[in-house]
Amino acid sequence: MNARSFDQVKSSLEDVIFELQSGSNDCEWFISSDKLIEILEIRREDYFKLLYALRGEREYSSKGTQGFTQDNADLLVLLLEKVLKIEGLASEFAKGGVFFDDTYLDEFRSFLKEIVLSKLERHDLDKELLLLLISSTKKFEDAFDSYFDDKFDLQRLVDNGITEFLDRKGFSGDYGADVFLRNYFFQILNTKLFPIRQITSEYRDRAYYEIFGKFREEEREKTKKKKSNSRRKFSSRSFYEDEDAETRDHREFLGLSEDYTNTELKNKYKEMIKKYHPDVNKDGLEMTQKIIASYNFLVMKDR
């Protein structure tokens, strides 16, 4: 193969990316080997010699002899680097908005993580809503998940983040890169690549503290406690021998005796909520908030 000038290399690369952009639909495309041979102005035997040599460096499918798609774009990048004798071509594909390798996807995930954390940092906790959600779920985590979904439009957050990411990096968004990155994000959401509960754990802990006035126990400690004690009943007399003033205030507010049972607590809660909930009592919002707070305090006290 003859040595290429800088202008020839640049022109060939631009032509390849233009070909991909022309046929790209949300970063899905195909370019045939014949088209590549034409654009690169390389002898057919030289092209396939380099192509087959890739097998020694990367696992390569025989389908690659027909051409390349977005699914084996990393191999196309490698092939072009060998033909054009230049490195770092993955960045040119990203700039063209037709392919993002693992390096750029890592950057993208980190960028969105910072956006989520920044949004949480500026967010004022809606205690009333979170209390209502806690009262209707068994686990705080589930309640907070519902709260997060309600307060944060994740779809919009991601869309804005994608636009900003593409703009900051100088990547083209004209060929479906935004759709590709959006689909990619929702595929990895709640996986080890983007574990939303882990990412938001610090704020979850702070929210728990604001609601209950104490730090959360580790989930494994809760499980261990449940296994050793099963579900400890509220009727256990020893529990009330050291009843503190705050516990007594919540219990008496709900009209429960010292030896109340878990069932009695739930029934009293339902009875009072029915009476004071704003849906049936326009002046009952404050009372409803107190009922929920007392109920959740006593429930969490037993965990």
Side-chain angles (χ1 to χ4, degrees):
M1 292 180 289
N2 297 326
R4 299 167 185 263
S5 67
F6 173 79
D7 288 340
Q8 287 175 320
V9 170
K10 182 180 178 182
S11 177
S12 296
L13 182 58
E14 288 176 347
D15 288 346
V16 170
I17 292 178
F18 176 77
E19 186 69 22
L20 300 183
Q21 290 173 332
S22 299
S24 179
N25 180 20
D26 302 338
C27 284
E28 294 184 1
W29 42 261
F30 171 77
I31 186 169
S32 68
S33 289
D34 288 339
K35 191 63 181 180
L36 284 168
I37 290 170
E38 176 188 336
I39 292 174
L40 297 173
E41 297 179 339
I42 185 176
R43 292 192 308 169
R44 194 174 188 82
E45 53 267 36
D46 289 336
Y47 172 88
F48 282 104
K49 183 178 179 181
L50 286 172
L51 182 61
Y52 291 130
L54 292 176
R55 292 181 176 180
E57 300 181 29
R58 307 281 283 275
E59 183 177 349
Y60 196 79
S61 170
S62 60
K63 293 181 180 179
T65 59
Q66 303 300 316
F68 294 87
T69 70
Q70 70 285 342
D71 293 333
N72 55 4
D74 57 333
L75 293 170
L76 173 58
V77 169
L78 184 60
L79 177 64
L80 291 175
E81 288 178 342
K82 289 186 175 295
V83 173
L84 301 176
K85 294 181 170 54
I86 188 173
E87 295 182 352
L89 294 188
S91 63
E92 299 301 320
F93 277 64
K95 287 177 184 177
V98 291
F99 171 67
F100 302 92
D101 68 3
D102 289 341
T103 299
Y104 290 115
L105 292 179
D106 286 346
E107 279 191 54
F108 173 64
R109 293 195 301 271
S110 297
F111 185 73
L112 287 186
K113 178 181 176 181
E114 290 305 315
I115 287 179
V116 170
L117 291 176
S118 176
K119 190 81 171 177
L120 283 170
E121 191 65 33
R122 299 193 303 270
H123 177 68
D124 291 325
L125 185 67
D126 185 342
K127 293 183 181 180
E128 178 186 340
L129 174 60
L130 186 53
L131 278 168
L132 283 169
L133 293 171
I134 290 171
S135 69
S136 62
T137 58
K138 292 183 178 180
K139 294 183 179 180
F140 174 79
E141 290 288 6
D142 295 336
F144 191 89
D145 286 344
S146 297
Y147 177 86
F148 186 85
D149 291 341
D150 184 86
K151 288 294 182 179
F152 298 89
D153 185 343
L154 192 58
Q155 178 74 62
R156 184 176 180 182
L157 199 68
V158 170
D159 285 346
N160 290 340
I162 290 171
T163 299
E164 188 176 350
F165 177 75
L166 293 174
D167 184 61
R168 284 192 181 187
K169 300 294 293 185
F171 297 161
S172 174
D174 297 333
Y175 306 99
D178 55 340
V179 176
F180 168 78
L181 291 175
R182 185 185 306 116
N183 291 339
Y184 170 75
F185 173 79
F186 285 104
Q187 286 172 2
I188 64 170
L189 181 62
N190 295 321
T191 70
K192 64 180 181 180
L193 292 177
F194 206 91
I196 192 69
R197 282 189 172 182
Q198 180 181 328
I199 291 170
T200 60
S201 60
E202 183 177 343
Y203 188 86
R204 289 168 184 260
D205 289 339
R206 281 159 43 195
Y208 186 95
Y209 187 84
E210 286 192 46
I211 295 294
F212 300 110
K214 63 180 182 179
F215 293 106
R216 285 201 292 167
E217 297 178 15
E218 292 292 333
E219 193 66 33
R220 61 178 176 273
E221 291 299 324
K222 291 181 183 179
T223 302
K224 187 177 179 182
K225 183 179 179 182
K226 285 179 181 178
K227 285 182 179 179
S228 61
N229 298 332
S230 185
R231 283 193 172 183
R232 185 176 58 176
K233 295 185 179 295
F234 282 96
S235 57
S236 174
R237 185 67 189 176
S238 62
F239 178 72
Y240 292 99
E241 289 176 356
D242 299 319
E243 182 182 55
D244 57 80
E246 187 177 8
T247 300
R248 183 177 63 254
D249 288 344
H250 285 295
R251 175 177 59 76
E252 291 180 349
F253 172 73
L254 293 178
L256 296 165
S257 62
E258 288 189 11
D259 59 349
Y260 71 88
T261 64
N262 192 20
T263 299
E264 288 172 340
L265 171 62
K266 290 180 179 179
N267 289 340
K268 178 61 73 171
Y269 168 75
K270 292 177 182 178
E271 175 189 329
M272 295 181 73
I273 282 292
K274 273 185 185 179
K275 182 177 179 180
Y276 291 104
H277 196 280
D279 287 347
V280 296
N281 187 336
K282 64 179 181 179
D283 299 318
L285 178 59
E286 184 177 351
M287 190 66 171
T288 298
Q289 291 173 336
K290 291 180 179 179
I291 293 167
I292 293 171
S294 292
Y295 172 77
N296 281 294
F297 178 89
L298 293 175
V299 168
M300 298 307 298
K301 185 85 175 176
D302 188 54
R303 288 191 178 182

